[in-house]
Amino acid sequence: MKNHYLSLVTKLTLKEIKARYKQSFFGFLWIIFNPFFQMLIMSFVFSQIIRFGNFGVPYAIFIYAGLLPWTFFSLSLTSSTGILIDNASLLKKIYFPREVFVLSTLLAKAFDFVLASLVFFLLMIYFKVPFTFYILFAIPIFLIQFLFTFSLGLLLSSLNLFYRDIQYIFNLLLSLWFYVTPVIYATEFFPEKYRWIFAYNPMSVFINAYRQVLLGGSAPNWESLGIGTGISILFFFFSFYIFKTLEKVFADVV
């Protein structure tokens, strides 16, 4: 990407970060508060009221390891779906790659993810979860998840420009997706005959991989991560093709 496009991505990303918390009393602390209090509520409900079983680590940090990547995923796509409509005036002006809107949105959410992850590492210290070399694998896992999320964001944002029902349909599907992704439970607690779903659900692959390298002190399941990576790469080429094909008429339909 050319330097002036990189500059545009940077400016749009900073604009997204600043605008979201500009008139908020707690400001950037909301980035931490939202997943943290979700974790507290869910850990109380599912460890004290509805008991799932033994997770090998305190349930609070187990669920937080799932909530962080899921929150990044869901908020990124919720924002990306309507990003082209929100910037309709810019679409009619000088040309620049329209995918920078989606990219800047994801980078802003990635900033939130990194900041909220600081609390996770504090929880690791508090619960005496050992830091191992395998923690470094969380970086490539996040990059693969970022690619998958970016790909889906490209597809949703372009289709939503033509069919506004897309955002409502996807919000419904996102709610269903949450329950077939091991955010609040471990895959081992799911009926064995249905566990094949997790192998082809990229978000399940990513969340399980995060837990393995952060909490399990071991390498991720390479076979599952390979499937998740393959799906992400293929989906990127498909989504990018659709996005660039439709991009030619973006300005005509906004």
Side-chain angles (χ1 to χ4, degrees):
M1 188 179 292
K2 297 179 181 180
N3 289 335
H4 55 284
Y5 292 154
L6 287 174
S7 176
L8 179 60
V9 170
T10 302
K11 289 179 181 178
L12 288 174
T13 301
L14 293 175
K15 178 185 175 183
E16 169 80 12
I17 293 172
K18 293 177 181 178
R20 204 172 338 135
Y21 303 103
K22 185 176 181 181
Q23 294 179 311
S24 170
F25 179 77
F26 287 107
F28 292 116
L29 287 177
W30 284 114
I31 297 172
I32 296 173
F33 288 163
N34 285 329
F36 182 73
F37 283 107
Q38 274 187 297
M39 177 271 292
L40 289 180
I41 293 169
M42 289 184 175
S43 61
F44 174 75
V45 171
F46 294 108
S47 65
Q48 300 300 320
I49 300 176
I50 306 173
R51 298 177 181 270
F52 275 135
N54 182 22
F55 293 87
V57 293
Y59 185 66
I61 194 170
F62 176 88
I63 195 173
Y64 206 50
L67 273 176
L68 286 178
W70 177 263
T71 300
F72 166 73
F73 175 72
S74 60
L75 292 182
S76 293
L77 293 179
T78 301
S79 298
S80 296
T81 302
I83 194 66
L84 296 180
I85 297 173
D86 294 340
N87 290 277
S89 59
L90 288 177
L91 292 178
K92 297 179 179 181
K93 296 182 179 180
I94 60 172
Y95 175 77
F96 56 89
R98 306 319 193 196
E99 59 269 22
V100 301
F101 289 121
V102 179
L103 180 59
S104 61
T105 298
L106 263 68
L107 289 174
K109 295 299 185 290
F111 172 81
D112 293 0
F113 177 84
V114 171
L115 198 59
S117 295
L118 298 177
V119 176
F120 178 82
F121 291 115
L122 290 177
L123 286 175
M124 288 185 66
I125 296 172
Y126 177 78
F127 288 118
K128 298 180 181 179
V129 177
F131 288 81
T132 68
F133 168 79
Y134 294 104
I135 287 178
L136 296 177
F137 283 107
I139 297 174
I141 293 170
F142 176 75
L143 293 177
I144 299 168
Q145 182 193 351
F146 188 97
L147 178 64
F148 177 72
T149 309
F150 179 56
S151 304
L152 193 50
L154 288 176
L155 184 64
L156 291 172
S157 62
S158 58
L159 294 180
N160 189 59
L161 199 59
F162 295 85
Y163 308 101
R164 305 299 166 86
D165 289 341
I166 292 293
Q167 58 189 324
Y168 306 113
I169 295 173
F170 181 72
N171 285 335
L172 174 61
L173 292 177
L174 193 63
S175 299
L176 298 175
W177 198 338
F178 175 84
Y179 290 105
V180 293
T181 302
V183 178
I184 60 175
Y185 57 83
T187 55
E188 291 76 18
F189 299 158
F190 214 71
E192 189 171 355
K193 63 180 179 179
Y194 298 119
R195 289 182 193 173
W196 61 268
I197 297 173
F198 299 125
Y200 298 99
N201 175 359
M203 283 307 300
S204 296
V205 171
F206 302 143
I207 288 175
N208 283 333
Y210 281 121
R211 284 176 174 150
Q212 282 178 296
V213 301
L214 295 172
L215 304 178
S218 63
N221 184 314
W222 296 115
E223 182 179 355
S224 295
L225 192 58
I227 293 174
T229 302
I231 292 174
S232 300
I233 293 173
L234 291 174
F235 194 51
F236 169 74
F237 285 114
F238 170 77
S239 299
F240 190 74
Y241 173 77
I242 297 295
F243 187 91
K244 299 306 285 186
T245 300
L246 297 177
E247 183 184 38
K248 302 171 186 176
V249 293
F250 281 173
D252 299 327
V253 296
V254 292

